[in-house]
Coordinates of all heavy atoms in Angstrom, one line a residue:
M1 N 5.0 13.4 16.1 CA 4.2 12.2 15.8 C 2.8 12.4 16.2 O 2.5 13.1 17.2 CB 4.8 11.0 16.5 CG 5.9 10.3 15.9 SD 6.7 9.0 16.9 CE 7.5 10.0 18.1
D2 N 1.9 11.8 15.5 CA 0.5 11.9 15.7 C 0.1 11.2 17.0 O 0.7 10.1 17.3 CB -0.2 11.3 14.5 CG -1.7 11.4 14.6 OD1 -2.3 10.6 15.3 OD2 -2.3 12.4 14.1
A3 N -0.9 11.7 17.7 CA -1.3 11.0 19.0 C -1.8 9.6 18.7 O -1.8 8.8 19.6 CB -2.3 11.9 19.7
G4 N -2.3 9.3 17.5 CA -2.8 8.0 17.2 C -1.8 7.0 16.7 O -2.1 5.9 16.4
T5 N -0.5 7.4 16.8 CA 0.6 6.5 16.4 C 0.9 5.6 17.5 O 1.1 6.0 18.6 CB 1.8 7.3 15.9 OG1 1.4 8.2 14.8 CG2 2.9 6.4 15.5
V6 N 1.1 4.3 17.2 CA 1.5 3.3 18.1 C 2.6 2.5 17.5 O 2.9 2.5 16.3 CB 0.3 2.3 18.5 CG1 -0.8 3.1 19.1 CG2 -0.2 1.6 17.3
R7 N 3.4 1.8 18.4 CA 4.4 0.9 18.0 C 4.3 -0.4 18.8 O 4.1 -0.4 20.0 CB 5.8 1.5 18.2 CG 6.9 0.7 17.6 CD 8.3 1.4 17.8 NE 9.3 0.6 17.1 CZ 9.7 0.8 15.8 NH1 9.2 1.8 15.1 NH2 10.7 0.1 15.3
T8 N 4.4 -1.5 18.1 CA 4.3 -2.8 18.7 C 5.4 -3.7 18.3 O 5.8 -3.7 17.1 CB 2.9 -3.5 18.3 OG1 1.9 -2.6 18.6 CG2 2.7 -4.8 18.9
R9 N 5.9 -4.5 19.3 CA 6.9 -5.6 18.9 C 6.1 -6.9 19.0 O 5.4 -7.2 20.0 CB 8.0 -5.6 19.9 CG 9.0 -6.8 19.7 CD 10.1 -6.9 20.7 NE 11.0 -5.7 20.6 CZ 11.3 -4.9 21.7 NH1 10.8 -5.2 22.9 NH2 12.0 -3.9 21.5
V10 N 6.3 -7.7 18.0 CA 5.7 -9.0 17.9 C 6.7 -10.1 17.7 O 7.5 -10.0 16.8 CB 4.6 -9.1 16.8 CG1 3.9 -10.4 16.9 CG2 3.7 -7.9 16.9
I11 N 6.7 -11.1 18.6 CA 7.5 -12.3 18.3 C 6.6 -13.4 17.8 O 5.6 -13.8 18.5 CB 8.2 -12.8 19.6 CG1 9.0 -11.7 20.3 CG2 9.1 -14.0 19.3 CD1 10.1 -11.1 19.5
V12 N 6.9 -13.8 16.6 CA 6.0 -14.8 15.9 C 6.8 -16.2 15.9 O 7.9 -16.3 15.5 CB 5.8 -14.4 14.4 CG1 4.8 -15.4 13.8 CG2 5.2 -13.0 14.4
R13 N 6.1 -17.2 16.5 CA 6.7 -18.5 16.6 C 6.0 -19.5 15.7 O 4.8 -19.4 15.5 CB 6.7 -19.0 18.1 CG 7.7 -18.1 18.9 CD 7.8 -18.6 20.4 NE 8.7 -17.9 21.1 CZ 8.5 -16.7 21.7 NH1 7.3 -16.2 21.7 NH2 9.5 -16.1 22.4
G14 N 6.7 -20.6 15.4 CA 6.1 -21.6 14.5 C 7.1 -21.9 13.4 O 8.3 -21.6 13.4
M15 N 6.5 -22.3 12.3 CA 7.3 -22.5 11.0 C 7.2 -21.2 10.3 O 6.4 -21.0 9.4 CB 6.8 -23.6 10.2 CG 7.7 -24.0 9.1 SD 7.2 -25.4 8.1 CE 6.0 -24.6 7.0
V16 N 8.1 -20.3 10.7 CA 8.0 -18.9 10.1 C 9.3 -18.4 9.5 O 9.4 -17.3 9.0 CB 7.6 -17.9 11.2 CG1 6.2 -18.2 11.7 CG2 8.5 -17.9 12.4
Q17 N 10.4 -19.3 9.4 CA 11.6 -18.9 8.7 C 11.7 -19.8 7.5 O 11.3 -21.0 7.5 CB 12.8 -19.1 9.6 CG 12.9 -18.0 10.7 CD 14.2 -18.0 11.4 OE1 15.2 -18.7 11.0 NE2 14.2 -17.3 12.5
G18 N 12.2 -19.3 6.4 CA 12.3 -20.0 5.1 C 11.0 -20.2 4.4 O 10.9 -21.0 3.4
V19 N 10.0 -19.4 4.7 CA 8.7 -19.5 4.0 C 8.2 -18.1 3.5 O 7.1 -17.9 3.2 CB 7.6 -20.1 5.0 CG1 7.9 -21.5 5.3 CG2 7.4 -19.2 6.2
G20 N 9.1 -17.1 3.4 CA 8.8 -15.8 2.9 C 8.1 -14.9 3.9 O 7.5 -13.9 3.5
F21 N 8.2 -15.3 5.2 CA 7.4 -14.5 6.2 C 7.8 -13.1 6.3 O 7.0 -12.2 6.3 CB 7.6 -15.2 7.6 CG 6.6 -14.8 8.6 CD1 5.5 -15.7 8.7 CD2 6.6 -13.7 9.3 CE1 4.5 -15.4 9.6 CE2 5.6 -13.3 10.2 CZ 4.5 -14.2 10.4
R22 N 9.2 -12.8 6.3 CA 9.6 -11.4 6.5 C 9.2 -10.6 5.2 O 8.7 -9.4 5.4 CB 11.1 -11.3 6.7 CG 11.5 -11.9 8.1 CD 13.0 -11.9 8.3 NE 13.6 -12.7 7.2 CZ 14.7 -12.3 6.5 NH1 15.4 -11.2 6.8 NH2 15.2 -13.0 5.5
A23 N 9.5 -11.1 4.0 CA 9.1 -10.3 2.8 C 7.6 -10.1 2.7 O 7.2 -9.0 2.4 CB 9.6 -11.1 1.6
N24 N 6.8 -11.0 3.1 CA 5.4 -10.8 3.0 C 4.9 -9.9 4.1 O 4.0 -9.1 3.9 CB 4.7 -12.2 3.2 CG 4.6 -12.9 1.9 OD1 3.8 -12.7 1.0 ND2 5.6 -13.8 1.7
T25 N 5.6 -9.9 5.3 CA 5.3 -8.9 6.3 C 5.6 -7.5 5.9 O 4.8 -6.6 6.1 CB 6.1 -9.3 7.6 OG1 5.7 -10.6 8.1 CG2 5.8 -8.2 8.7
R26 N 6.8 -7.4 5.2 CA 7.1 -6.0 4.6 C 6.0 -5.6 3.6 O 5.6 -4.4 3.7 CB 8.5 -6.0 4.0 CG 8.9 -4.7 3.4 CD 10.3 -4.6 2.9 NE 10.5 -5.6 1.9 CZ 11.7 -5.8 1.4 NH1 12.7 -5.1 1.7 NH2 11.8 -6.8 0.4
A27 N 5.6 -6.5 2.8 CA 4.6 -6.1 1.8 C 3.3 -5.7 2.5 O 2.6 -4.7 2.1 CB 4.3 -7.3 0.8
E28 N 2.9 -6.4 3.5 CA 1.7 -6.1 4.2 C 1.8 -4.8 5.0 O 0.9 -4.0 5.0 CB 1.3 -7.3 5.2 CG 0.0 -7.2 5.8 CD -1.2 -7.4 4.9 OE1 -1.0 -7.8 3.7 OE2 -2.3 -7.1 5.3
A29 N 3.0 -4.6 5.6 CA 3.2 -3.3 6.3 C 3.2 -2.1 5.3 O 2.6 -1.1 5.6 CB 4.5 -3.4 7.0
G30 N 3.7 -2.3 4.1 CA 3.7 -1.3 3.1 C 2.3 -1.0 2.7 O 1.9 0.2 2.5
R31 N 1.5 -2.0 2.5 CA 0.0 -1.8 2.2 C -0.7 -1.0 3.2 O -1.6 -0.2 2.9 CB -0.6 -3.2 2.0 CG -2.1 -3.1 1.5 CD -2.7 -4.5 1.4 NE -3.0 -5.1 2.7 CZ -4.1 -4.7 3.4 NH1 -4.9 -3.8 3.0 NH2 -4.3 -5.3 4.6
L32 N -0.3 -1.2 4.5 CA -0.9 -0.5 5.6 C -0.2 0.8 6.0 O -0.6 1.4 7.0 CB -1.0 -1.5 6.8 CG -1.8 -2.7 6.6 CD1 -1.5 -3.7 7.7 CD2 -3.3 -2.4 6.5
A33 N 0.8 1.2 5.2 CA 1.6 2.4 5.5 C 2.2 2.4 6.9 O 2.2 3.4 7.6 CB 0.7 3.7 5.3
L34 N 2.8 1.3 7.3 CA 3.5 1.1 8.6 C 5.0 1.2 8.4 O 5.5 0.8 7.3 CB 3.1 -0.2 9.2 CG 1.6 -0.4 9.5 CD1 1.3 -1.8 10.1 CD2 1.0 0.7 10.3
T35 N 5.7 1.6 9.4 CA 7.1 1.5 9.4 C 7.6 0.5 10.4 O 6.8 0.0 11.2 CB 7.7 2.9 9.8 OG1 7.3 3.3 11.1 CG2 7.2 4.0 8.8
G36 N 8.9 0.2 10.4 CA 9.5 -0.8 11.4 C 10.4 -1.7 10.7 O 11.1 -1.4 9.8
F37 N 10.4 -3.0 11.2 CA 11.3 -4.0 10.6 C 10.7 -5.4 10.9 O 9.9 -5.6 11.8 CB 12.7 -3.9 11.2 CG 12.8 -4.1 12.7 CD1 12.9 -5.4 13.2 CD2 12.8 -3.0 13.6 CE1 13.0 -5.6 14.6 CE2 12.9 -3.2 14.9 CZ 13.0 -4.5 15.4
A38 N 11.3 -6.4 10.2 CA 11.1 -7.8 10.5 C 12.4 -8.5 10.3 O 13.2 -8.2 9.4 CB 10.1 -8.4 9.5
R39 N 12.8 -9.3 11.3 CA 14.0 -10.0 11.3 C 13.9 -11.4 11.9 O 13.1 -11.6 12.8 CB 15.1 -9.2 12.0 CG 14.9 -9.0 13.4 CD 16.0 -8.2 14.0 NE 15.7 -7.7 15.4 CZ 16.2 -6.6 15.9 NH1 17.0 -5.8 15.3 NH2 15.9 -6.3 17.2
N40 N 14.7 -12.3 11.4 CA 14.8 -13.7 11.9 C 15.6 -13.6 13.2 O 16.5 -12.9 13.4 CB 15.5 -14.6 10.9 CG 14.6 -15.0 9.7 OD1 13.4 -14.9 9.8 ND2 15.3 -15.3 8.7
R41 N 15.1 -14.5 14.2 CA 15.9 -14.6 15.4 C 16.5 -16.0 15.5 O 16.0 -16.9 14.8 CB 14.9 -14.4 16.6 CG 14.4 -13.0 16.7 CD 13.2 -12.8 17.6 NE 13.2 -13.7 18.8 CZ 13.2 -13.3 20.0 NH1 13.3 -12.0 20.3 NH2 13.1 -14.2 21.0
P42 N 17.6 -16.1 16.2 CA 18.3 -17.4 16.2 C 17.5 -18.6 16.7 O 17.8 -19.7 16.3 CB 19.5 -17.1 17.2 CG 19.6 -15.7 17.3 CD 18.3 -15.1 17.0
D43 N 16.4 -18.3 17.5 CA 15.6 -19.5 18.0 C 14.6 -19.9 17.0 O 13.7 -20.8 17.3 CB 14.9 -19.1 19.3 CG 13.9 -17.9 19.1 OD1 13.7 -17.5 18.0 OD2 13.3 -17.6 20.2
G44 N 14.6 -19.4 15.7 CA 13.6 -19.8 14.7 C 12.4 -19.0 14.6 O 11.6 -19.2 13.7
S45 N 12.2 -18.0 15.5 CA 11.1 -17.1 15.5 C 11.4 -15.9 14.6 O 12.5 -15.7 14.1 CB 10.7 -16.7 16.9 OG 11.7 -15.9 17.4
V46 N 10.4 -15.1 14.3 CA 10.6 -13.8 13.6 C 10.1 -12.7 14.5 O 9.1 -12.8 15.2 CB 9.7 -13.8 12.3 CG1 9.8 -12.4 11.7 CG2 10.3 -14.9 11.3
E47 N 10.9 -11.7 14.6 CA 10.6 -10.5 15.4 C 10.2 -9.4 14.4 O 10.8 -9.1 13.4 CB 11.8 -10.0 16.2 CG 11.6 -8.7 17.0 CD 12.9 -8.3 17.7 OE1 13.9 -8.9 17.5 OE2 12.7 -7.3 18.5
V48 N 9.0 -8.8 14.8 CA 8.5 -7.7 13.9 C 8.2 -6.5 14.9 O 7.7 -6.7 15.9 CB 7.1 -8.1 13.3 CG1 6.5 -6.9 12.5 CG2 7.3 -9.3 12.4
E49 N 8.7 -5.3 14.4 CA 8.2 -4.1 15.1 C 7.5 -3.3 14.0 O 8.0 -3.1 12.9 CB 9.4 -3.3 15.7 CG 9.9 -3.9 17.0 CD 10.9 -3.0 17.7 OE1 10.9 -1.8 17.5 OE2 11.6 -3.5 18.6
A50 N 6.3 -2.8 14.4 CA 5.5 -2.1 13.4 C 5.0 -0.8 14.1 O 4.6 -0.8 15.3 CB 4.3 -2.9 13.0
E51 N 5.1 0.3 13.4 CA 4.6 1.6 13.9 C 3.7 2.3 12.9 O 4.0 2.2 11.7 CB 5.9 2.5 14.2 CG 5.6 3.8 14.7 CD 6.8 4.6 15.2 OE1 7.7 3.9 15.7 OE2 6.8 5.8 15.0
G52 N 2.7 2.9 13.4 CA 1.8 3.7 12.5 C 0.5 3.8 13.2 O 0.3 3.7 14.5
P53 N -0.6 4.2 12.5 CA -1.9 4.3 13.1 C -2.4 3.0 13.8 O -2.1 1.9 13.3 CB -2.8 4.6 11.9 CG -1.9 5.1 10.8 CD -0.6 4.4 11.0
A54 N -3.0 3.2 14.9 CA -3.5 2.0 15.7 C -4.3 1.0 14.8 O -4.1 -0.2 15.0 CB -4.3 2.5 16.9
A55 N -5.1 1.5 14.0 CA -6.0 0.6 13.1 C -5.1 -0.2 12.2 O -5.3 -1.4 12.1 CB -7.0 1.4 12.3
G56 N -4.1 0.4 11.6 CA -3.2 -0.3 10.7 C -2.3 -1.4 11.5 O -2.1 -2.5 11.0
V57 N -1.8 -1.0 12.6 CA -1.0 -1.9 13.4 C -1.9 -3.1 13.9 O -1.5 -4.2 13.8 CB -0.3 -1.2 14.6 CG1 0.3 -2.2 15.6 CG2 0.7 -0.2 14.1
G58 N -3.1 -2.8 14.2 CA -4.1 -3.9 14.6 C -4.3 -4.8 13.5 O -4.4 -6.0 13.7
E59 N -4.5 -4.3 12.3 CA -4.7 -5.1 11.1 C -3.5 -6.0 10.8 O -3.6 -7.2 10.5 CB -5.0 -4.3 9.9 CG -5.6 -5.1 8.7 CD -6.1 -4.2 7.6 OE1 -6.6 -3.1 7.9 OE2 -6.1 -4.7 6.5
L60 N -2.3 -5.4 11.0 CA -1.0 -6.2 10.8 C -1.0 -7.3 11.8 O -0.6 -8.5 11.5 CB 0.2 -5.4 10.9 CG 1.5 -6.1 10.6 CD1 1.6 -6.7 9.2 CD2 2.7 -5.3 10.9
L61 N -1.3 -7.1 13.1 CA -1.3 -8.1 14.1 C -2.3 -9.2 13.8 O -1.9 -10.4 14.0 CB -1.8 -7.5 15.5 CG -0.8 -6.6 16.2 CD1 -1.4 -6.0 17.4 CD2 0.5 -7.4 16.5
R62 N -3.4 -8.9 13.2 CA -4.4 -10.0 12.8 C -3.7 -10.8 11.7 O -3.8 -12.1 11.7 CB -5.7 -9.4 12.3 CG -6.6 -8.9 13.5 CD -8.0 -8.5 13.0 NE -8.0 -7.3 12.3 CZ -7.9 -6.1 12.8 NH1 -7.8 -5.9 14.1 NH2 -7.9 -5.0 12.1
W63 N -3.0 -10.2 10.7 CA -2.4 -10.9 9.6 C -1.3 -11.8 10.2 O -1.1 -12.9 9.7 CB -1.9 -9.9 8.6 CG -1.2 -10.5 7.4 CD1 -1.9 -11.0 6.3 CD2 0.1 -10.9 7.3 NE1 -1.0 -11.5 5.5 CE2 0.3 -11.5 6.0 CE3 1.3 -10.7 8.1 CZ2 1.5 -11.9 5.6 CZ3 2.5 -11.1 7.6 CH2 2.6 -11.8 6.4
L64 N -0.5 -11.3 11.1 CA 0.7 -12.0 11.7 C 0.2 -13.3 12.4 O 1.0 -14.2 12.5 CB 1.5 -11.1 12.7 CG 2.3 -10.0 12.1 CD1 2.8 -9.1 13.1 CD2 3.4 -10.6 11.2
R65 N -1.0 -13.4 12.8 CA -1.5 -14.6 13.5 C -1.6 -15.8 12.5 O -1.6 -16.9 13.0 CB -2.9 -14.4 14.1 CG -2.8 -13.4 15.3 CD -4.2 -13.2 16.0 NE -4.1 -12.2 16.9 CZ -3.6 -12.2 18.1 NH1 -3.0 -13.3 18.5 NH2 -3.6 -11.2 18.9
T66 N -1.6 -15.5 11.2 CA -1.6 -16.5 10.2 C -0.4 -16.5 9.3 O 0.2 -17.5 9.0 CB -2.9 -16.4 9.3 OG1 -4.0 -16.4 10.2 CG2 -3.0 -17.5 8.3
G67 N 0.0 -15.2 8.9 CA 1.2 -15.0 8.1 C 0.9 -15.5 6.6 O -0.3 -15.7 6.2
P68 N 1.9 -15.6 5.8 CA 1.8 -16.0 4.4 C 1.4 -17.5 4.3 O 1.4 -18.2 5.3 CB 3.1 -15.7 3.8 CG 4.1 -15.9 5.0 CD 3.3 -15.4 6.2
R69 N 1.0 -17.8 3.1 CA 0.4 -19.1 2.8 C 1.2 -20.3 3.4 O 0.6 -21.3 3.9 CB 0.4 -19.2 1.3 CG -0.2 -20.4 0.7 CD -0.2 -20.3 -0.8 NE -0.8 -21.5 -1.4 CZ -1.1 -21.5 -2.6 NH1 -0.9 -20.5 -3.4 NH2 -1.7 -22.6 -3.1
W70 N 2.6 -20.3 3.3 CA 3.3 -21.5 3.7 C 3.8 -21.5 5.1 O 4.3 -22.4 5.6 CB 4.6 -21.5 2.8 CG 4.2 -21.7 1.3 CD1 3.8 -22.8 0.7 CD2 4.0 -20.6 0.4 NE1 3.5 -22.6 -0.6 CE2 3.6 -21.2 -0.8 CE3 4.2 -19.2 0.4 CZ2 3.3 -20.5 -2.0 CZ3 4.0 -18.5 -0.7 CH2 3.5 -19.1 -1.9
A71 N 3.5 -20.4 5.8 CA 3.8 -20.3 7.3 C 2.8 -21.1 8.1 O 1.7 -21.4 7.7 CB 3.8 -18.9 7.7
E72 N 3.3 -21.6 9.3 CA 2.5 -22.2 10.3 C 2.8 -21.5 11.6 O 3.7 -21.8 12.3 CB 2.7 -23.7 10.4 CG 2.3 -24.4 9.1 CD 2.6 -25.9 9.3 OE1 2.9 -26.4 10.4 OE2 2.6 -26.6 8.2
V73 N 2.0 -20.5 11.9 CA 2.2 -19.7 13.2 C 1.6 -20.5 14.3 O 0.4 -20.8 14.3 CB 1.5 -18.3 13.0 CG1 1.6 -17.5 14.3 CG2 2.1 -17.5 11.9
S74 N 2.4 -20.7 15.4 CA 1.9 -21.4 16.5 C 1.5 -20.4 17.6 O 0.6 -20.7 18.4 CB 3.0 -22.4 17.1 OG 4.1 -21.7 17.4
S75 N 2.2 -19.2 17.7 CA 1.9 -18.2 18.7 C 2.5 -16.9 18.3 O 3.5 -16.8 17.6 CB 2.4 -18.7 20.1 OG 3.8 -18.6 20.1
I76 N 1.9 -15.8 18.9 CA 2.5 -14.5 18.8 C 2.6 -13.9 20.2 O 1.7 -14.2 21.0 CB 1.9 -13.6 17.8 CG1 0.5 -13.1 18.2 CG2 1.8 -14.2 16.4 CD1 -0.1 -12.0 17.4
E77 N 3.6 -13.2 20.4 CA 3.8 -12.5 21.7 C 3.9 -11.0 21.4 O 4.7 -10.6 20.6 CB 5.1 -13.0 22.4 CG 5.5 -12.3 23.6 CD 6.8 -12.7 24.1 OE1 7.2 -13.9 23.9 OE2 7.6 -11.9 24.6
V78 N 3.0 -10.2 21.9 CA 2.8 -8.8 21.6 C 3.3 -7.9 22.8 O 2.8 -8.1 23.9 CB 1.4 -8.4 21.2 CG1 1.2 -7.0 20.8 CG2 0.9 -9.4 20.0
T79 N 4.1 -6.9 22.5 CA 4.6 -5.9 23.5 C 4.4 -4.5 22.9 O 4.8 -4.3 21.8 CB 6.1 -6.1 23.8 OG1 6.3 -7.5 24.2 CG2 6.5 -5.2 24.9
E80 N 3.7 -3.7 23.6 CA 3.5 -2.3 23.2 C 4.8 -1.5 23.5 O 5.4 -1.7 24.6 CB 2.3 -1.7 23.9 CG 1.0 -2.4 23.7 CD 0.5 -2.4 22.3 OE1 0.7 -1.4 21.6 OE2 0.0 -3.5 21.9
L81 N 5.2 -0.7 22.6 CA 6.4 0.2 22.7 C 6.0 1.6 22.5 O 5.0 1.9 22.0 CB 7.4 -0.3 21.7 CG 7.9 -1.7 21.7 CD1 8.8 -2.0 20.5 CD2 8.6 -2.1 22.9
E82 N 7.0 2.5 22.8 CA 6.8 3.9 22.5 C 7.2 4.1 21.0 O 8.2 3.6 20.6 CB 7.8 4.8 23.4 CG 7.4 4.9 24.8 CD 6.0 5.6 25.0 OE1 5.8 6.7 24.3 OE2 5.2 5.2 25.8
P83 N 6.4 4.9 20.3 CA 6.7 5.2 18.9 C 8.1 5.9 18.8 O 8.5 6.6 19.7 CB 5.6 6.1 18.4 CG 4.5 5.8 19.4 CD 5.1 5.5 20.7
T84 N 8.8 5.6 17.7 CA 10.2 6.1 17.6 C 10.3 7.1 16.4 O 11.3 7.8 16.2 CB 11.2 5.0 17.3 OG1 10.9 4.4 16.1 CG2 11.2 4.0 18.5
G85 N 9.2 7.2 15.6 CA 9.3 8.1 14.4 C 10.1 7.4 13.3 O 10.6 8.1 12.4
D86 N 10.1 6.1 13.3 CA 10.8 5.3 12.2 C 10.3 5.7 10.8 O 9.2 6.2 10.7 CB 10.4 3.9 12.5 CG 11.6 2.9 12.4 OD1 12.7 3.4 12.0 OD2 11.4 1.8 12.7
S87 N 11.2 5.5 9.8 CA 10.7 5.7 8.5 C 11.1 4.4 7.7 O 12.1 3.8 7.9 CB 11.4 6.9 7.8 OG 12.8 6.7 7.7
G88 N 10.2 4.0 6.8 CA 10.4 2.8 6.0 C 10.2 1.5 6.8 O 10.0 1.5 8.0
F89 N 10.2 0.4 6.1 CA 10.1 -0.9 6.8 C 11.2 -1.8 6.2 O 11.3 -2.0 5.1 CB 8.7 -1.6 6.4 CG 8.4 -2.7 7.4 CD1 7.7 -2.5 8.5 CD2 8.9 -4.0 7.1 CE1 7.4 -3.5 9.4 CE2 8.6 -5.0 8.0 CZ 7.8 -4.8 9.1
R90 N 12.1 -2.2 7.1 CA 13.3 -2.9 6.7 C 13.3 -4.4 7.1 O 12.6 -4.7 8.0 CB 14.6 -2.3 7.4 CG 14.5 -1.0 8.0 CD 15.8 -0.5 8.7 NE 15.7 -0.8 10.1 CZ 14.9 -0.3 11.0 NH1 13.9 0.5 10.5 NH2 14.9 -0.5 12.2
L91 N 14.1 -5.1 6.4 CA 14.3 -6.5 6.7 C 15.6 -6.7 7.4 O 16.6 -6.1 6.9 CB 14.2 -7.4 5.5 CG 12.8 -7.4 4.8 CD1 12.8 -8.4 3.6 CD2 11.7 -7.7 5.7
G92 N 15.7 -7.5 8.4 CA 17.0 -7.7 9.1 C 17.4 -9.1 9.0 O 16.6 -10.0 8.6

């Protein structure tokens, strides 16, 4: 893996389920050439892990603060992780 590769876990809270949040996150991650996943959590939040160049992950983090048009993000919690060499971006 490239030295500039980072991985971040983000818990997104608010009205983020049932509004296309995961699918739009996958599209945004694809645009930024990031790998990882987005999945709904039982508490109503969405968990996102994104891996790739630091600039791309940073851009996704900015996007996650608002999300898609119908979402209402109240907060995000960001945790830095070790890159895993993931491929693709999946929905869970």
